[in-house]
Amino acid sequence: MTAKRPSHTLIKGPARAPARAMLRAAGFDDERLARPMIAIVNTWTSVTPCNMHLAGLADHARAGIEAAGGTAVDFNTIVVTDGIAMGTEGMRASLMSRDCVADSAELAVRGHCLDAVLFLVGCDKTLPGAAMAAARLDLPSVILYGGSIMQGHRNGKNLTIQDVFEAVGACAAGRISEAELVEVEKAACPGAGACGGQFTANTMALALSVLGLSDMALNDLPAVHPQNPKAAAGAGRLVVEALNAGRNARSLITPLSLKNAAAAVTATAGSTNAVLHLLAIAREAGVPKDAFNIDDFDAISRATPVIADLKPGGRYMAPDMSAAGGTRLLVQRLQQSGHLADAPTITGRTLFEEAALAKETPGQDVICSADNPVKARGGFGVLYGDLAPEGCVVKLAGHDRLHVSGPARVFDSEDSCFEAVNQGRITKGDVVVIRYEGPAGGPGMREMLAVTAAIQGAGLGDDVALITDGRFSGATYGFMVGHVAPEAARGGPLAFIRDGDVITIDVDGQRLDVDADLAARMARGFIAPKPRYPTGAYAKYAALVRSASDGAVTGFPFDAPR
């Protein structure tokens, strides 16, 4: 296979002799300089199992690119791992890291005038960060997910990181000992790969496959699968093929493909973070707000049943879904029920052509059909009302409740709420409110997994609702409402709630309301809290970030032409 001649200006003409001299010093000969230059943007790090194996995969991806007639150029960017940072100040960096991944990939590729990009991703925010960069660059782009971690095992039970967080709550409530907590901790994460349930990483890997930016057959493989080196080489060849065929990223990111991705997410009761990330990808691709916005998620979720029985609300993990038939089988089921429309993908085959290649494992019960679903309604809803004029997202995984009303217990940070849960100060019927944790107010819109898992661990999961302008982990389940916009730190209604106010959550009515005279309280004025970080990256992010209802993106007006 012969790749196209390079179209970039990095090394063309006499004036570019200094650039060629530098490249020759780095080992590029005439043959490699004559080929198109393909970026490998890697999110490898040694600090987390989610990404620690990506350096080895890069070797195979590089070989695939070179064999297909391209010249591989490696870059590395960052990762902030949620499972490590969760419940700490470090978690404020998580969502910011998504934009940092996108920014650094954009700068490296534009700065070197490269022709196409292969992204190697693992933990949560590296997947949408890569897709956002692909949308900005509008080059032939392939995103390869490093894969899910396998199950941990203890006393005959499969474990994930979710079980560790819940064990913390159970230990605080006296339901297990500290020694038992340590045993769960040691058993939960057996090796390489991102968190194993249908949490954010696996949710976004699915979304990017259905969106068309990833080869779904490659993205399905668990991190320790023996075919992963072959898959990485295949991704290398695929990005050169996409370059030859002119399959640029924005030709794949359309209102139709975004709605397909949202349908796949809701059919697996996936992470509510997908709402935030798909909106961000849409904005970066220049998709108009009237063509794809937060309301689409509610309509899609109401119409799409849950047909995959996956954690956190179900029984199985991502490797189980892969073994059952994977993304292709899920897409086939959704195609058969009319919940997806056909669309192009990075492989050159359409979405339905990919689905036709599905191989179902006989007897599997991970992925079912739409006429016999796990749950008739999808995994999330969008609410408005007194407390969320710009909208918010309710997570419906792991429960069947659609209406809750109760007294507010108000906290101005995740930390103070976590302390109250562990001290037994939250009781049945409470509607817990955590505010000033939004994109700007946090800053960084922390995930509330430490709190939500502690609530589950304390045995209150069926009796307490939680509302926040922050986010939830994909491992969260229970009656949880997040992404409340506008956020409290920017004068949103959540800032004016008091303990004891009766809050009503009505999913069918799409309402989040409070029995209080908010207008009178607002008329007295709002004093914004002092910024937690007055300088540095956190301060810059807080100044630039937009509303969660538009993906919490930074850097440009939403309606500006792209």
Side-chain angles (χ1 to χ4, degrees):
M1 178 179 180
T2 302
K4 285 184 175 180
R5 299 284 296 178
S7 59
H8 57 78
T9 59
L10 181 69
I11 57 175
K12 286 184 177 179
R16 302 308 300 149
R20 291 194 295 272
M22 295 285 286
L23 288 165
R24 291 183 193 281
F28 293 79
D29 58 17
D30 287 344
E31 180 183 355
R32 297 189 74 218
L33 290 173
R35 297 176 171 187
M37 288 192 177
I38 314 295
I40 298 175
V41 176
N42 197 346
T43 59
W44 170 84
T45 177
S46 63
V47 77
T48 170
C50 309
N51 299 59
M52 69 183 189
H53 58 305
L54 298 183
L57 291 184
D59 294 336
H60 299 283
R62 192 180 308 111
I65 289 171
E66 299 278 344
T71 294
V73 180
D74 293 81
F75 298 94
N76 210 70
T77 184
I78 69 161
V79 58
V80 173
T81 301
D82 292 8
I84 296 173
M86 195 71 69
T88 73
E89 279 294 294
M91 191 62 199
R92 302 192 192 283
S94 168
L95 186 59
M96 297 184 208
S97 74
R98 181 193 72 177
D99 291 68
C100 183
V101 168
D103 291 349
S104 58
E106 177 193 4
L107 292 174
V109 174
R110 289 196 197 280
H112 294 89
C113 308
L114 303 179
D115 296 295
V117 192
L118 171 59
F119 298 90
L120 301 181
V121 295
C123 192
D124 298 2
K125 306 310 174 292
T126 62
L127 288 97
M132 291 163 67
R136 290 181 196 174
L137 294 164
D138 195 26
L139 294 171
S141 303
V142 173
I143 301 174
L144 178 64
Y145 175 46
S148 171
I149 199 170
M150 298 302 290
Q151 300 93 331
H153 301 283
R154 180 175 179 267
N155 295 337
K157 178 185 176 182
N158 291 340
L159 300 178
T160 71
I161 192 68
Q162 168 192 344
D163 295 283
V164 185
F165 280 102
E166 291 180 14
V168 171
C171 183
R175 298 171 66 193
I176 65 171
S177 68
E178 287 190 23
E180 290 174 294
L181 171 60
V182 171
E183 290 304 311
V184 174
E185 168 195 329
K186 289 180 177 179
C189 299
C195 297
Q198 195 65 350
F199 310 153
T200 302
N202 287 315
T203 295
M204 289 309 301
L206 169 69
L208 296 185
S209 292
V210 177
L211 191 61
L213 293 174
S214 296
D215 183 334
M216 60 181 67
L218 305 186
N219 266 22
D220 269 1
L221 296 175
V224 296
H225 197 284
Q227 291 298 312
N228 264 330
K230 184 178 178 180
R237 291 191 298 272
L238 178 59
V239 71
V240 178
E241 291 171 11
L243 174 63
N244 288 337
R247 292 194 287 269
N248 286 19
R250 289 197 192 182
S251 69
L252 305 175
I253 305 171
T254 66
L256 178 63
S257 68
L258 287 158
K259 290 173 184 177
N260 280 341
V265 168
T266 198
T268 58
S271 171
T272 53
N273 281 313
V275 178
L276 200 71
H277 299 325
L278 287 173
L279 288 171
I281 293 164
R283 298 294 85 85
E284 295 287 2
V287 173
K289 287 176 68 174
D290 60 1
F292 184 74
N293 57 59
I294 193 171
D295 290 331
D296 288 305
F297 290 90
D298 190 82
I300 290 167
S301 185
R302 288 173 185 270
T304 308
V306 177
I307 63 169
D309 191 5
L310 299 172
K311 287 178 176 290
R315 294 177 294 165
Y316 294 110
M317 294 174 61
D320 299 313
M321 177 168 153
S322 176
T327 301
R328 282 174 169 160
L329 180 60
L330 181 84
V331 170
Q332 186 180 92
R333 293 282 195 267
L334 292 173
Q335 174 192 353
Q336 290 167 348
S337 59
H339 289 100
L340 294 180
D342 206 8
T345 77
I346 193 64
T347 66
R349 294 181 291 273
T350 71
L351 192 65
F352 290 174
E353 287 170 342
E354 289 287 351
L357 300 174
K359 295 180 180 179
E360 181 175 4
T361 299
Q364 68 83 25
D365 61 350
V366 182
I367 302 169
C368 55
S369 61
D371 57 4
N372 185 30
V374 176
K375 191 174 180 181
R377 182 201 164 103
F380 42 73
V382 175
L383 314 180
Y384 291 91
D386 296 344
L387 295 180
E390 294 178 3
C392 61
V393 180
V394 57
K395 185 155 191 174
L396 303 175
H399 68 91
D400 295 313
R401 291 181 293 168
L402 298 175
H403 189 280
V404 164
S405 187
R409 292 292 311 279
V410 183
F411 300 90
D412 288 346
S413 70
E414 176 189 8
D415 310 85
S416 57
C417 182
F418 183 68
E419 181 180 1
V421 175
N422 283 341
Q423 292 176 353
R425 292 189 282 118
I426 302 298
T427 60
K428 291 183 178 182
D430 284 345
V431 178
V432 176
V433 176
I434 304 177
R435 62 190 178 190
Y436 301 115
E437 291 284 9
M445 205 178 179
R446 287 195 292 183
E447 293 178 351
M448 303 290 122
L449 181 58
V451 169
T452 60
I455 288 172
Q456 294 288 345
L460 295 170
D462 293 332
D463 303 296
V464 169
L466 191 151
I467 298 169
T468 181
D469 50 10
R471 297 180 293 129
F472 295 120
S473 166
T476 292
Y477 64 102
F479 205 103
M480 310 294 171
V481 181
H483 307 198
V484 174
E487 62 176 287
R490 288 182 170 166
L494 217 60
F496 300 91
I497 296 297
R498 297 174 182 168
D499 276 345
D501 289 345
V502 176
I503 293 176
T504 299
I505 307 166
D506 180 1
V507 176
D508 283 337
Q510 285 192 269
R511 300 288 301 183
L512 177 63
D513 294 312
V514 62
D515 185 10
D517 190 351
L518 289 185
R521 295 177 189 176
M522 290 178 178
R524 300 187 189 105
F526 170 70
I527 300 175
K530 184 179 178 181
R532 288 186 171 97
Y533 294 88
T535 62
Y538 284 23
K540 180 165 62 175
Y541 182 87
L544 293 174
V545 70
R546 307 299 292 262
S547 170
S549 63
D550 275 308
V553 292
T554 59
F556 62 88
F558 293 127
D559 297 322
R562 297 284 290 160

